[in-house]
């Protein structure tokens, strides 16, 4: 299983959230840098093997980004549900610390 840690502790803008996601997850250049694009990537053939995403630093984001981070976490959870429903074994595991 591949393990990916995403540290959001130092993000200051929505754009910086997606910069961290892109770099932590080694996303392709065509990644659109928004919640729809994140969901599309997470539920596409881009995820080819079991992966565990650990998302840390959510408690350190600025107040003006807290609701956006909740949106990011919701996208991960929704994608996890979809991907795990499509397969006999869990393809994606999300941990938030």
């Amino acid at each position: 299983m591949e393990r990916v840690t995403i540290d959001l502790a130092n993000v200051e803008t929505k754009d910086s959230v997606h910069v961290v996601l892109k770099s932590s997850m080694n996303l392709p250049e065509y990644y659109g840098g928004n919640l729809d694009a994140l969901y599309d990537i997470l539920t596409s053939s881009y995820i080819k093997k079991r992966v565990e995403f650990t998302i840390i630093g959510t408690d350190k984001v600025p107040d003006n980004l807290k609701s956006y981070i909740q949106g990011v976490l919701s996208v991960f959870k929704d994608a996890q549900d979809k991907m795990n429903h499509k397969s006999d074994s869990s393809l994606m595991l999300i941990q938030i610390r």
Side-chain angles (χ1 to χ4, degrees), residues 12-53:
E12 297 179 359
T13 64
K14 291 178 184 179
D15 286 342
S16 66
V17 170
H18 291 282
V19 168
V20 169
L21 291 171
K22 186 174 181 178
S23 117
S24 299
M25 297 168 61
N26 197 28
L27 297 179
E29 282 302 311
Y30 62 82
Y31 171 64
N34 59 60
L35 297 180
D36 288 336
L38 178 60
Y39 183 81
D40 290 346
I41 284 285
L42 289 172
T43 59
S44 73
S45 59
Y46 185 75
I47 304 291
K48 293 181 173 80
K49 58 185 174 181
R50 292 186 67 196
V51 61
E52 175 184 327
F53 293 106

Side-chain angles (χ1 to χ4, degrees), residues 84-97:
N84 291 346
H85 181 72
K86 285 169 64 172
S87 173
D88 291 338
S89 62
S90 294
L91 289 176
M92 188 182 303
L93 174 64
I94 312 297
Q95 295 187 35
I96 302 162
R97 296 184 184 175

